[in-house]
Amino acid sequence: MKNFPSKLIPVKDSILMSMLEIVKLIPTDGISCIQLQNSVSHTMDVVEFVEAMTNLYAISYISIDENQIIRTIC
């Protein structure tokens, strides 16, 4: 589990970098959750992916519809 940056945790090792990586991969017309997870599976594990997605959803940056398509709101 990654944390937010602090005096001990640099930004590059924080969850913010995982969130940024996910945001860069979401096209304007959306992407399915499975496709997105497969796209980042080489750089982050499932726990890190879920944590980053939860943070993005909590700050209302992404939305997930009933078909599990992820789109950016901002």
Side-chain angles (χ1 to χ4, degrees):
M1 182 169 111
K2 289 190 171 183
N3 291 318
F4 287 97
S6 66
K7 289 182 180 182
L8 300 175
I9 300 170
V11 173
K12 67 179 180 76
D13 295 332
S14 72
I15 194 67
L16 295 179
M17 293 309 286
S18 301
M19 292 166 61
L20 181 60
E21 182 179 348
I22 288 172
V23 166
K24 288 180 180 179
L25 294 174
I26 300 175
T28 55
D29 59 341
I31 187 170
S32 75
C33 191
I34 298 297
Q35 288 176 320
L36 185 58
Q37 200 280 324
N38 287 337
S39 298
V40 298
S41 64
H42 62 283
T43 57
M44 67 179 78
D45 61 4
V46 175
V47 174
E48 187 177 340
F49 175 76
V50 170
E51 185 178 353
M53 291 292 290
T54 302
N55 288 329
L56 288 168
Y57 187 79
I59 63 172
S60 298
Y61 193 85
I62 61 170
S63 67
I64 304 170
D65 67 12
E66 64 277 352
N67 297 320
Q68 297 182 351
I69 302 297
I70 300 164
R71 291 182 175 86
T72 56
I73 296 173
C74 299

